[in-house]
Amino acid sequence: MKIYKFGGASVKDAAGIRNVYEVLQQAGYEDVLLVVSAMGKTTNALEVVIKNYFEKSRQLQESLQDVKKYHIEILLDLFDNGDHDVFADVNRHFSDMEYFLSHNKSPNYNFVYDQIVSYGELVSTVILSHYMNFRNIPTSWIDVRNFIKTDSTYRDANVDWDQTQKNISKNLKKKALNITQGFLGSDENNFTTTLGREGSDYTAAIFAYCLNAESVTIWKDVPGVMNADPRYFENATLLNQISYREAIELAFYGATVIHPKTLQPLQRKEIPLYVKSFLNPLLPGTSVSKGADLDPQLPCFIVKKDQLLISLSSIDFSFIMEENISEIFALLHKFKMKVHLIQNSAISFSVCADDKFGNFPELKTILSKKFKVSYNENVSLYTIRHFDDKATKIVESGKEVLVKQVSRETIQIVTL
Ligand code: ADP
Ligand code: ASP
Ligand code: MG
């Protein structure tokens, strides 16, 4: 079996859904399982709904309507017959979501988050499944929550591999082209969980692992994995082949084209991963497989924008050592700051981190009791794998370099 994953960008509008049909026609859909994300930016839009719900904002209804309207407009474009069953199916999911919001008693943000954002994937797969049937590709819609079991770490759930393997081996039937949701799972009480933002690539890898699949293809809006994100770097070049190891490194440092958790299950069973363009499905794209000899000889650039560089020095002239460092990390963890670079010297300790939840002001107050805190907001963290002088100069030119860290294969540079 082959696994195809279609992400948000590939199904962002009616033309995108029609294009999935074209991709299947061209690439083939025999013995394939489709894993599909929420359409376009639906997950972000549902995050707004959740925020409004918790803040008891008057915008709640409006934000809900926005999500519904976006999907209904796509339906009206795809199906000229307003009586088609798809309308009732989609509306039923939206009604379930509204029912949950009006009856929920849980104050647990992360729990509520997962119960709500999951409708993005539920609805997108219902639409895609109906559309394929409409175009004479018979499909069966399956609820991924009956297959992927996780713990109850809402928003970042850990897969229960044994249970998931059992469910998939025992219950996944091949009646027609199966279509299922990326990103979602369920816990032991059957509450919905999610695998972390952008986690649909990972779902594809979970199925591939459990099914000993022949390959995984993730269909993207780029020709494949390139030596840089083409949104930020001109002249990005396609990497035809890379090893799992290189792909893991690129994804770890922030090449968002592949979710970092995707690669290890595939590597374990040596299942090839293809990253291909949904606009040119017959082009080879990038193939990720075993063997360091595949690795690119050219520098690969990764950038993380809007980072925070925090530098701490001790007030009492002491050194920043194990005890302090563990305390600093406990606080960074508590305030959900994701650290991407650490630099230590005798009297100062710096971290470059992502403050996704805007917690730095609170953290700063606590740290300031013990340390002198200086910081820069909105810095960029560049990572260059296989760097050379020319590549380093490209990144540094015209920017103020705040931190630089070099290892054998990789250089990281924080700039203002
Ligand atoms: P999906 O629709 O599956 O969610 P994403 O938007 O998450 O797809 O991933 C595709 C995007 O990844 C591209 O549009 C591109 O801007 C970005 N990207 C980041 N790094 C790279 C890279 N090294 N090569 C190709 N694309 C990259
Ligand atoms: N819809 C989810 C997200 O946007 C999962 C995914 O697209 O991979 O994060
Ligand atoms: Mg995505």
Side-chain angles (χ1 to χ4, degrees):
M1 177 174 278
K2 292 181 192 156
I3 316 292
Y4 286 177
K5 180 259 173 171
F6 286 95
S10 67
V11 290
K12 70 178 193 311
D13 50 22
I17 301 278
R18 289 191 184 98
N19 184 61
V20 172
Y21 173 83
E22 294 304 328
V23 172
L24 294 181
Q25 288 296 345
Q26 292 185 40
Y29 52 89
E30 185 108 337
D31 207 21
V32 165
L33 166 75
L34 295 190
V35 172
V36 183
S37 304
M39 296 171 129
K41 304 277 176 218
T42 299
T43 308
N44 293 3
L46 288 168
E47 284 184 340
V48 174
V49 169
I50 297 155
K51 185 167 170 283
N52 288 337
Y53 172 75
F54 274 97
E55 289 173 359
K56 299 192 168 42
S57 159
R58 274 193 283 154
Q59 315 282 313
L60 175 63
Q61 275 314 317
E62 197 184 318
S63 53
L64 267 169
Q65 287 312 320
D66 286 347
V67 174
K68 291 206 277 188
K69 200 165 150 250
Y70 166 65
H71 287 90
I72 299 298
E73 273 171 11
I74 292 175
L75 283 185
L76 289 168
D77 190 331
L78 290 173
F79 302 88
D80 14 297
N81 173 6
D83 290 335
H84 193 286
D85 288 350
V86 68
F87 287 90
D89 279 357
V90 166
N91 281 323
R92 187 168 44 80
H93 280 296
F94 285 134
S95 303
D96 289 351
M97 178 167 84
E98 286 172 292
Y99 182 88
F100 176 88
L101 286 174
S102 56
H103 289 77
N104 169 58
K105 301 245 175 348
S106 170
N108 179 340
Y109 194 97
N110 292 346
F111 167 78
V112 172
Y113 180 101
D114 281 1
Q115 309 321 301
I116 296 301
V117 286
S118 47
Y119 284 99
E121 269 71 12
L122 292 170
V123 168
S124 70
T125 48
V126 164
I127 296 176
L128 194 71
S129 177
H130 273 291
Y131 184 72
M132 292 305 145
N133 294 342
F134 173 68
R135 299 291 304 269
N136 294 323
I137 297 183
T139 58
S140 86
W141 182 89
I142 57 176
D143 189 332
V144 76
R145 296 169 299 182
N146 298 328
F147 294 90
I148 296 187
K149 296 306 285 188
T150 68
D151 66 6
S152 298
T153 313
Y154 299 110
R155 294 181 78 177
D156 195 16
N158 299 297
V159 173
D160 175 342
W161 284 95
D162 283 346
Q163 201 50 52
T164 301
Q165 175 73 71
K166 278 188 198 132
N167 293 344
I168 291 178
S169 310
K170 221 170 97 196
N171 300 328
L172 190 71
K173 299 277 179 299
K174 176 93 190 124
K175 280 180 270 169
L177 175 67
N178 283 317
I179 297 190
T180 199
Q181 305 77 40
F183 182 48
L184 315 183
S186 70
D187 65 10
E188 61 176 350
N189 295 312
N190 292 324
F191 286 117
T192 304
T193 56
T194 61
L195 306 174
R197 285 299 311 261
E198 302 295 327
S200 295
D201 293 350
Y202 183 38
T203 305
I206 297 168
F207 275 101
Y209 182 92
C210 294
L211 290 163
N212 293 315
E214 184 187 324
S215 63
V216 173
T217 306
I218 52 180
W219 298 96
K220 300 275 171 175
D221 59 356
V222 281
V225 180
M226 310 181 84
N227 78 326
D229 185 338
R231 273 180 305 177
Y232 303 123
F233 291 82
E234 282 172 30
N235 310 323
T237 314
L238 177 68
L239 307 175
N240 300 310
Q241 291 196 315
I242 50 174
S243 65
Y244 294 112
R245 168 77 207 285
E246 183 67 24
I248 291 169
E249 296 283 348
L250 292 174
F252 171 81
Y253 284 116
T256 54
V257 63
I258 308 176
H259 188 279
K261 282 187 179 173
T262 311
L263 292 150
Q264 294 198 55
L266 300 182
Q267 181 182 32
R268 179 75 61 85
K269 291 201 172 169
E270 294 186 15
I271 299 169
L273 170 69
Y274 301 110
V275 183
K276 293 197 190 204
S277 159
F278 58 71
L279 296 172
N280 288 299
L282 295 179
L283 294 183
T286 301
S287 121
V288 183
S289 56
K290 200 182 154 194
D293 50 325
L294 306 172
D295 285 341
Q297 297 311 314
L298 72 167
C300 296
F301 300 83
I302 300 148
V303 58
K304 281 183 182 284
K305 302 213 172 212
D306 296 325
Q307 303 290 298
L308 182 65
L309 180 68
I310 313 170
S311 298
L312 306 174
S313 46
S314 57
I315 295 172
D316 60 3
F317 310 112
S318 63
F319 296 123
I320 299 191
M321 301 293 282
E322 290 81 353
E323 195 195 332
N324 285 331
I325 292 176
S326 65
E327 195 183 332
I328 295 165
F329 269 89
L331 285 168
L332 287 163
H333 178 68
K334 181 172 169 205
F335 287 99
K336 297 200 178 83
M337 312 258 293
K338 200 150 171 10
V339 175
H340 297 301
L341 176 135
I342 305 160
Q343 183 122 312
N344 197 14
S345 73
I347 50 160
S348 91
F349 180 79
S350 304
V351 293
C352 184
D354 225 330
D355 182 21
K356 218 165 121 192
F357 299 96
N359 290 332
F360 181 59
E362 220 180 315
L363 172 66
K364 191 170 110 228
T365 311
I366 299 177
L367 287 172
S368 301
K369 291 185 187 141
K370 253 189 133 163
F371 305 98
K372 181 172 164 292
V373 182
S374 46
Y375 61 95
N376 296 89
E377 290 172 303
N378 299 321
V379 301
S380 298
L381 169 62
Y382 289 88
T383 303
I384 317 174
R385 298 263 307 150
H386 317 293
F387 64 97
D388 57 20
D389 283 349
K390 191 172 156 218
T392 311
K393 282 206 185 85
I394 292 175
V395 164
E396 291 181 351
S397 113
K399 304 184 191 88
E400 186 181 340
V401 174
L402 301 175
V403 177
K404 200 188 281 194
Q405 208 171 73
V406 186
S407 62
R408 207 174 333 165
E409 294 277 17
T410 309
I411 186 168
Q412 292 196 284
I413 305 169
V414 179
T415 67
L416 203 53

